[in-house]
Amino acid sequence: MLLHLQTWEEVETYLNRSKGIIIPIGSTEQHGPNGLIGTDAICPEVIGRRVGEVADALVGPTISVGMAQHHLGFAGSVTLRPTTLIAVIRDYVVSLARHGFERFYFLNGHGGNIATTNAAFSEIYAETSMMRSGGNAPAIRCRLKNWWENPGVKRISSELFGDREGSHATPSEVSVTQFAYPEAIKRKSMGPIGPKQRDFADADDYRRLFPDGRIGSDPTLASPEHGARLVEAAVCDVAEDYRRFLAQA
Ligand code: NI
């Protein structure tokens, strides 16, 4: 159930049976020669919507621009600076908390969001934990879950792609977008896989080290069929994780 396709009365009715909401969070950034700019937003959105169906959960609007400063050396990439993203997450949660939502499950598609999202959770908790009468046990709970960090997804990625998965513009995430948007599949030949991982400081440094945008990956292996398997596995694991999150006292 998508929040933006409900009426306010339907949301009130939902709140009588659940205080939880799933919020996909991603990024708008280059994903190598054949990966869509929206890859990191598309993946959690596609998976989150299906989780919403199987877990009877509301799914909020996707936060589709994230913290992607290091990708700005490539055309089309957009970023929020960390302080802006913290403010966006905080205002999103506080708005919904006013209506009675208490469990905020952020389904993430971008590694670069992790530190900032966790900092946003601390800002949200601070409002309660620093209140004299609030103690440090806030009613609001937030969880950040990376869609790719599930046993089922990891097993399939490793079986299909092995050490050609890499860590950015991976065949797994490109497969999920090809499953979601087969009309937008790009065919592109690529050079050999570059360095697997190197420290980089920021956008210019990243572009110099990883000239076509990939990090250690071979996204020519992507296919919509692989994407279908990955989505199915992710939905299964994430729905289970979401239910556990709601059940926490
Ligand atoms: Ni990505």
Side-chain angles (χ1 to χ4, degrees):
M1 290 171 302
L2 303 179
L3 178 66
H4 65 276
L5 299 184
Q6 313 297 310
T7 67
W8 69 266
E9 289 177 312
E10 287 170 332
V11 176
E12 278 198 346
T13 303
Y14 172 84
L15 281 164
N16 289 329
R17 65 178 193 276
S18 176
K19 306 291 187 210
I21 186 162
I22 296 168
I23 302 165
I25 180 167
S27 183
T28 298
E29 68 185 45
Q30 70 81 17
H31 267 76
N34 71 342
L36 307 181
I37 299 277
T39 297
D40 285 356
I42 292 167
C43 293
E45 182 170 275
V46 164
I47 293 161
R49 287 180 176 197
R50 283 171 167 73
V51 172
E53 287 162 17
V54 304
D56 184 30
L58 263 185
V59 180
T62 303
I63 300 176
S64 53
V65 178
M67 215 304 282
Q69 286 172 205
H70 50 294
H71 293 289
L72 287 180
F74 297 86
S77 300
V78 181
T79 194
L80 300 180
R81 63 182 67 211
T83 47
T84 311
L85 183 56
I86 288 170
V88 168
I89 293 170
R90 180 187 164 280
D91 288 358
Y92 195 138
V93 167
V94 170
S95 300
L96 291 173
R98 188 182 196 280
H99 312 307
F101 287 92
E102 293 178 354
R103 297 287 187 272
F104 298 88
Y105 189 90
F106 285 81
L107 185 59
N108 181 40
H110 173 50
N113 285 341
I114 295 171
T116 303
T117 305
N118 282 321
F121 294 170
S122 294
E123 286 286 348
I124 291 162
Y125 295 152
E127 293 190 24
T128 309
S129 51
M130 295 174 93
M131 270 170 28
R132 191 175 297 195
S133 59
N136 58 1
I140 291 177
R141 266 179 201 262
C142 302
R143 173 157 168 70
L144 177 67
K145 175 70 178 172
N146 300 319
W147 74 263
W148 64 92
E149 286 190 333
N150 287 297
V153 170
K154 281 188 176 295
R155 192 168 52 246
I156 293 170
S157 289
S158 142
E159 171 203 318
L160 292 174
F161 311 123
D163 66 356
R164 302 180 83 78
E165 170 74 354
S167 58
H168 183 67
T170 67
S172 291
E173 59 183 346
V174 173
S175 292
V176 171
T177 65
Q178 292 186 347
F179 164 71
Y181 294 98
E183 69 278 18
I185 293 175
K186 320 285 181 183
R187 308 272 174 217
K188 190 93 176 131
S189 59
M190 295 174 210
I193 295 178
K196 287 282 176 201
Q197 191 61 270
R198 297 268 285 278
D199 281 346
F200 53 86
D202 203 4
D204 291 344
D205 207 22
Y206 184 109
R207 174 108 196 204
R208 185 175 57 80
L209 292 169
F210 310 104
D212 71 1
R214 296 176 290 159
I215 302 182
S217 66
D218 182 3
T220 63
L221 301 174
S223 79
E225 294 75 25
H226 296 337
R229 285 184 66 193
L230 290 160
V231 167
E232 187 185 2
V235 169
C236 183
D237 286 346
V238 171
E240 182 60 34
D241 189 64
Y242 177 72
R243 290 194 188 96
R244 276 198 301 271
F245 174 63
L246 287 192
Q248 283 174 357

